[in-house]
Structure formats: C-alpha cells, structure tokens
Amino acid sequence: MVNEKTAITDFNMDFFSLKGKNAIVTGGNSGLGQGFALALAKAGANIFAVSIMDDNEETKKLIENEGVKYHLMIADITEEGACKKIADKCVEVFGKIDILMNNAGICICEEDVTRFDRLKWDKMIHINLTSAFELSHEVAKYMIPQKSGKIISTCSLFSYLGGQWSPAYSASKHGIVGFTKAYCDELAQFNIQVNGIAPGYFATEITQQTRSNPEANQKVLNHIPVNRWGNVQDLMGAMVFLASDASNYINGTVINVDGGYLVR
C-alpha cells in the first residue's frame, strides 16, 4: 500500500529536472521544434535534433550554452529505414534514449478541395503521422528494456477541428491523438508515458501572412480568450512538464496550449 504522507513529502522540484536525460527532437533546429529542444536543454537534457534541413548554428549555440550536449542528424524521416537509423545513432552518441519529441510536420493547403490530390495527402500523412509511429516504434525498443521513457508528439487544434483547405493535415493530427492513446495503452505497463502537446495559433513564420492581414488577424484573435497569439515560450513549460518525472501519472493525454481557443 502506498504511504500517501511519504509520497507527498517526497515530492520536490527535482521532479522537473531532466539532468542527464537524452532527448530526440524531430524538426528540432527551427521553429517550434527549436523551442521544444531549448526547453528540454534548459531543464538539463542532452539534445539529439533531427532535421531534413542543413545545420542551424543558432540552435547549436543556444543548446550548448545551457551546458548540455547537442547532436544534429540530417535525415529524411520518410525514407525507409531512417527512423531505425535515428534511434540507433542517438544510442550510439548518448548511450540511451529517455525522451522522444515527435515534432516534424508540414501543412499543404489547397483552397479547392477537388485539387487536394492523393500525392499531397500521402506526403502529409507520411510526415505528420506515419513517421511519428515509425520513430516511436524504434525508440520503444530501447525504452521497454530500461522500463522508462517519455514519448511526446506535436498535435494541433486541428486534432479536434475539421480544418478547411487541408484535409490531410486535420486527418493526420486527429491520427496523432489516436496514436498517442493507443501507444499509451501498449507502453504504460513498461513505465513509458505517451502524451501530446497541441499548440494553438502561434506567432511563427508560417502564420506571418495571416497576422499581417488586419481582418484575418482579428478573426483569429476574436476566437482566443487571452486575445493574443501564442509565442514559442508559451509551449516550453508544457514540454518540460511532460518530459519530466512530475508527469509520471499523466498518460494518453494531450495538453492544449491555445490561450483558450477551444472554449469558444
């Protein structure tokens, strides 16, 4: 039987520390992924970033300034065998994998739904959903024997909404939520937590066009109770929390970081 008084008194802020942990972050050297990687580094984790892009020296500097290790692997996660190579390389470089952040994703929009063809659909589903499964599958092979691990995926408001102009984006993000629940059910017995983070509308390069249009910008703000766009810093606390021991009894859950968008 659990001694509840002891459990309460044993809790301390070290539960939020990631010191000595190793984290894979896909899409980790730019955009929201860079913020996720930096949050993990600030909490003490070594960062194994995966990107299809060339090296970003800014990310390397930001991470290493936190006194942790940084390794970037250039890889296309949709290529056959790439996810196994990523997991194996992380173990080769850092010794083990404690955290996986499935962040890589794309959004292709097409105003005319009849022009949103199979090629666009397949590309988005593969990058946003199938690759998250494949990498989680490979990482789980390392986490199960060590009986610990955190698998976290970037979801979206469109994990819950229809989303005009990009049916594959909405479908893939709905799929990530289903995958999160399914893998929680499979891996919880091994002390592995599988959760998601769903960002709302964030001020990034991707949303610049909307934010620069006064009418479109106001339409978004009218739907957000806090009346502002999110910034990358708003996501960093949720990232550290889900990656840390402070969230060990949270499993199969998605944390919405949306300024209250979904309540309206």
Side-chain angles (χ1 to χ4, degrees):
M1 180 178 293
V2 175
N3 184 324
E4 293 182 2
K5 185 173 291 187
T6 300
I8 291 171
T9 57
D10 280 352
F11 184 86
N12 59 71
M13 296 310 292
D14 288 343
F15 278 58
F16 292 93
S17 173
L18 301 177
K19 187 175 181 179
K21 303 288 188 180
N22 304 313
I24 296 175
V25 184
T26 62
N29 70 343
S30 63
L32 297 184
Q34 184 187 67
F36 288 138
L38 183 57
L40 294 169
K42 283 180 175 292
N46 300 313
I47 303 300
F48 187 96
V50 180
S51 178
I52 198 170
M53 299 168 56
D54 291 336
D55 197 1
N56 183 338
E57 287 298 321
E58 179 192 34
T59 304
K60 177 180 170 66
K61 183 177 179 179
L62 287 170
I63 299 299
E64 292 184 343
N65 280 349
E66 298 301 326
V68 300
K69 298 175 182 177
Y70 175 78
H71 182 90
L72 175 67
M73 181 173 177
I74 304 298
D76 181 348
I77 58 175
T78 66
E79 289 185 355
E80 185 175 355
C83 291
K84 183 179 188 308
K85 291 178 182 177
I86 291 166
D88 291 348
K89 186 65 176 180
C90 183
V91 172
E92 178 187 328
V93 172
F94 289 151
K96 62 174 182 169
I97 306 168
D98 301 291
I99 302 155
L100 167 62
M101 180 57 183
N102 289 310
N103 172 69
I106 62 168
C107 182
I108 303 171
C109 293
E110 182 65 73
E111 290 190 23
D112 184 350
V113 69
T114 64
R115 294 175 59 186
F116 199 99
D117 57 25
R118 178 66 184 270
L119 289 176
K120 297 185 181 76
W121 175 275
D122 284 350
K123 183 175 183 178
M124 291 186 65
I125 294 296
H126 199 161
I127 294 174
N128 294 0
L129 180 58
T130 305
S131 295
F133 157 72
E134 289 181 336
L135 187 51
S136 299
H137 177 76
E138 295 300 334
V139 165
K141 294 176 184 178
Y142 286 105
M143 290 181 170
I144 289 172
Q146 69 193 29
K147 292 198 170 4
S148 66
K150 304 280 185 173
I151 296 176
I152 306 156
S153 299
T154 300
C155 303
S156 168
L157 293 181
F158 295 100
S159 295
Y160 313 100
L161 306 174
Q164 288 181 314
W165 306 328
S166 189
Y169 185 78
S170 181
S172 68
K173 292 303 182 178
H174 275 71
I176 282 289
V177 173
F179 163 74
T180 295
K181 294 177 180 179
Y183 249 47
C184 158
D185 210 12
E186 295 284 353
L187 299 179
Q189 62 183 311
F190 303 109
N191 189 34
I192 299 169
Q193 291 80 52
V194 188
N195 294 294
I197 297 175
Y201 279 87
F202 275 70
T204 63
E205 184 178 342
I206 294 175
T207 60
Q208 177 58 41
Q209 184 175 354
T210 301
R211 289 182 289 115
S212 62
N213 180 319
E215 183 178 349
N217 181 64
Q218 192 58 51
K219 185 177 180 180
V220 171
L221 291 177
N222 288 343
H223 214 300
I224 304 175
V226 300
N227 197 39
R228 70 171 176 86
W229 289 71
N231 58 65
V232 176
Q233 184 178 340
D234 292 319
L235 289 164
M236 294 171 76
M239 179 75 260
V240 172
F241 174 58
L242 288 179
S244 74
D245 289 343
S247 63
N248 279 353
Y249 202 60
I250 295 177
N251 217 342
T253 294
V254 177
I255 294 181
N256 302 319
V257 186
D258 64 356
Y261 184 98
L262 289 173
V263 305
R264 284 190 173 171

